Amino acid sequence: MFARMTFAVAIVASGVAAPAGAADYFAGKTLEMLIGADVAGGYDIYARAVARHLPKHIPGAPTIVARNMPGAGSAVAGGHLFRVAPKDGTVMGALMPGAIMGRLLDERASNLFDPTKFHYIGTADSGTRVCITYKTSATKTYDDALKQKTIMAASQAGGATRDYEAMHKHATGAKFEIVSGYKGTSDMMLAMERGEAAGLCGLDWSSLKSQKPDWLTDGSINILVQDGIDPEPELTRMGVPQIWPYIKNELDRKAVELVLSQQLFGRSYVLPPGAAAEAVSILRAAFAATMRDKEFLADAEKLRIGITPSSGEKLQQVVERVHGSAKEVVDRAKRIIEP
C-alpha cells in the first residue's frame, strides 16, 4: 500500500506566480498565523520564521501576527480554523501532522474538523523523527529498549510523542512506559534532564538540532532509532538504525508506514475550508517564494531548522491519498498508537 516512494513530496516549484490584481487583496490588512503548538517548541520556531519572511512576498505587504493556540496535538487550533476563523485568508494555521491524521486514526477527533477540506498552502519540511534517551539512562540503544523498561515522556492524546512511543511499543515490542501529559517537547526535555523520564519519541530531527544543539555536541543523549519512510542521510552516517528491521509483521509494517507518512507534511500551513480562491492562490505563491528566499534560508540555517518544502497543491494530493487508505491498515494503525 505504502511503497517507499509513493509519498515522495516534490520540492516547491519555482514557477508559481501570484494572480493578476493580487496587490489589492491583502493591502493594509493584518494576517494571523495560528500556531497549534506551545511556545519555543519546534513547530513554533518554524512557524514564526515563516511568519517573519512571508509578508514581503505577499502583494500589498500585509503584517502577519503569530499567535499560539496549543492543545490536543494542534486539534484545538484545527477546530478553531475549521469552524470559527474567517474564510478571507486573513487567518492561516500551522498544524502538527497528528492533527491532519487525527480524523483518520482517532475516532475522538472525527467531529472536530475534516483535514481533507483545508486548503494547503505548503509545507516547510518533511523530515525524519527520532527516539532519544538522556545520557543518564541505562537504555543506550534500541536493542536495550527491547529488553528493559524505559520511562518515556509524552504529550496528551493526539500528540506525536505519545503516538510514536505507543507505535514502537506495539509494533516492535519496545518496553516503553509512557508518561503522558507534558505540554510540549521543551517540558519533556526538562523532565529528561531532571531524571523524571529517560527519553522521548516522535521528536523531529530538525527540531532536536534547533532546540538542543548542545545535546548533540556534548553527547548528552542517545539516539535510539530514526522513524521515516526513507533513511535520513545524516542519521544514517551516525549509525542510527531505522525502525523497519525491528518490525516482523507485514500488517504492522503497513500500519507504521501509514503513521510515518504524516511526516511528509511535517510543517504544514493551511487555510480554512471555503477560503477565497484568490487568497489561496496568493498565499501559495508567496509561500513558494519564501521557501526560495535567501534571507529566509539564512535565518533557517541560523535557527538550525531543516527546509525541505513542498507545494500546497502536492500536499493536498498527499493528504487525500492518505485518507483513502485500506481499512485494515487504518484499523491496525489506530491500535498501535494507543498506549
Side-chain angles (χ1 to χ4, degrees):
M1 175 69 182
F2 288 94
R4 290 304 173 84
M5 298 306 294
T6 298
F7 294 106
V9 182
I11 298 301
V12 176
S14 60
V16 180
D24 297 330
Y25 190 89
F26 287 115
K29 293 183 179 179
T30 297
L31 280 59
E32 183 176 65
M33 174 75 78
L34 194 64
I35 305 171
D38 210 3
V39 176
Y43 288 89
D44 183 65
I45 293 170
Y46 267 88
R48 289 180 183 275
V50 170
R52 282 195 298 273
H53 294 272
L54 187 61
K56 62 187 173 184
H57 298 289
I58 301 174
T63 300
I64 295 184
V65 176
R67 179 165 72 97
N68 294 82
M69 186 179 282
S74 286
V76 172
H80 178 87
L81 200 69
F82 195 84
R83 299 175 181 273
V84 180
K87 314 295 186 186
D88 58 359
T90 57
V91 179
M92 69 186 80
L95 302 182
M96 295 182 180
I100 299 171
M101 296 288 282
R103 189 168 183 262
L104 184 68
L105 299 179
D106 186 354
E107 293 176 358
R108 293 164 297 184
S110 62
N111 293 323
L112 292 176
F113 56 88
D114 182 350
T116 66
K117 304 299 184 185
F118 284 133
H119 296 278
Y120 291 82
I121 301 304
T123 182
D125 194 35
S126 52
T128 296
R129 290 176 172 172
V130 293
C131 286
I132 62 173
T133 56
Y134 201 58
K135 60 185 176 183
T136 53
S137 172
T139 300
K140 308 291 185 185
T141 68
Y142 200 76
D143 287 331
D144 291 339
L146 296 174
K147 299 171 185 175
Q148 60 199 26
K149 183 179 78 171
T150 308
I151 297 174
M152 305 294 278
S155 61
Q156 66 273 43
T161 49
R162 201 195 79 153
D163 289 354
Y164 275 56
E165 286 159 18
M167 176 186 74
H168 279 274
K169 182 176 180 178
H170 297 307
T172 73
K175 299 183 183 300
F176 289 154
E177 183 173 315
I178 304 170
V179 179
S180 301
Y182 289 94
K183 283 181 65 178
T185 53
S186 296
D187 290 340
M188 296 176 216
M189 291 172 174
L190 185 58
M192 290 167 61
E193 292 177 325
R194 290 175 172 172
E196 298 171 7
L200 64 93
C201 288
L203 179 64
D204 287 283
W205 172 231
S206 57
S207 292
L208 175 58
K209 291 191 288 184
S210 175
Q211 290 179 259
K212 289 288 188 179
D214 54 310
W215 276 11
L216 296 170
T217 56
D218 64 15
S220 291
I221 57 168
N222 312 294
I223 305 176
L224 307 183
V225 68
Q226 54 172 305
D227 293 328
I229 300 296
D230 295 307
E232 202 287 330
E234 187 177 12
L235 288 167
T236 301
R237 287 195 297 271
M238 294 167 62
V240 179
Q242 285 191 279
I243 188 175
W244 307 117
Y246 299 99
I247 302 173
K248 308 305 180 184
N249 179 285
E250 182 60 23
L251 181 57
D252 281 353
R253 186 181 186 87
K254 290 179 179 179
V256 169
E257 286 179 343
L258 174 57
V259 175
L260 298 192
S261 68
Q262 66 184 273
Q263 295 167 203
L264 298 174
F265 37 90
R267 308 291 178 179
S268 298
Y269 301 91
V270 306
L271 289 175
E278 188 174 6
V280 174
S281 181
I282 292 170
L283 291 175
R284 280 179 172 174
F287 184 84
T290 302
M291 294 298 102
R292 302 190 302 271
D293 185 334
K294 291 181 180 179
E295 292 181 357
F296 168 73
L297 294 173
D299 195 8
E301 184 174 0
K302 185 187 300 182
L303 293 168
R304 298 184 177 89
I305 57 176
I307 303 298
T308 311
S310 178
S311 70
E313 293 89 343
K314 184 67 177 181
L315 201 56
Q316 202 94 41
Q317 295 172 8
V318 172
V319 172
E320 291 172 1
R321 195 179 306 155
V322 166
H323 279 265
S325 300
K327 185 179 184 301
E328 66 170 352
V329 176
V330 173
D331 287 345
R332 181 54 183 160
K334 287 179 181 179
R335 291 196 295 273
I336 68 172
I337 63 172
E338 284 296 324

